[in-house]
Amino acid sequence: QVQLAESGGGLVQPGGSLGLSCTASGSSFITYTTGWYRQAPGKERELVAAIADGGYTNYTDSVKGRFTISSHSAGNTVYLQMNSLKPEDTANYYCFLVARTAGRTATYWGQGTQVTVSS
């Protein structure tokens, strides 16, 4: 079993920055892809950013040029740097990990961290 712990959310003004971290612990695993989804009240869940083993990254169009995802395998950590934040970025952000462990592929989720962008 793998557990994800994420942190870094908070309240910031428009134009501000936040960094989200997601760290995996538990069973040994091989990462296929990891990143964040977000969901705001009344809105569909959307993929924000993802990174695959090997460094390939993917971003939803609305965050391109503002958000950067990176992985730090030594610490089983993924980091999302969010710059130039907008009110529409307000959401609960959920880290996810698609990984292989004990001969199985599974998706794991963090507990969520709230990002609020408001003046």
Side-chain angles (χ1 to χ4, degrees):
Q1 193 73 275
V2 178
Q3 295 81 44
L4 302 182
E6 59 181 305
S7 62
L11 173 64
V12 296
Q13 294 182 334
S17 297
L18 285 173
L20 305 184
S21 295
C22 179
T23 300
S25 63
S27 301
S28 298
F29 63 90
I30 298 171
T31 298
Y32 292 133
T33 188
T34 187
W36 277 266
Y37 278 83
R38 68 185 180 189
Q39 188 164 29
K43 297 182 68 177
E44 295 286 320
R45 182 185 67 178
E46 68 171 341
L47 178 68
V48 180
I51 185 167
D53 207 13
Y56 176 81
T57 59
N58 183 46
Y59 302 91
T60 190
D61 286 344
S62 65
V63 309
K64 288 180 179 177
R66 300 188 296 121
F67 292 10
T68 303
I69 189 169
S70 59
S71 62
H72 305 275
S73 59
N76 291 326
T77 298
V78 178
Y79 186 77
L80 182 67
Q81 179 64 42
M82 305 186 295
N83 298 324
S84 301
L85 284 161
K86 304 175 180 179
E88 51 262 44
D89 295 318
T90 296
N92 205 345
Y93 285 67
Y94 295 90
C95 177
F96 74 92
L97 168 70
V98 180
R100 182 179 176 88
T101 182
R104 299 284 201 277
T105 300
T107 302
Y108 303 91
W109 294 92
Q111 80 281 4
T113 186
Q114 179 67 36
V115 172
T116 301
V117 185
S118 176
S119 60

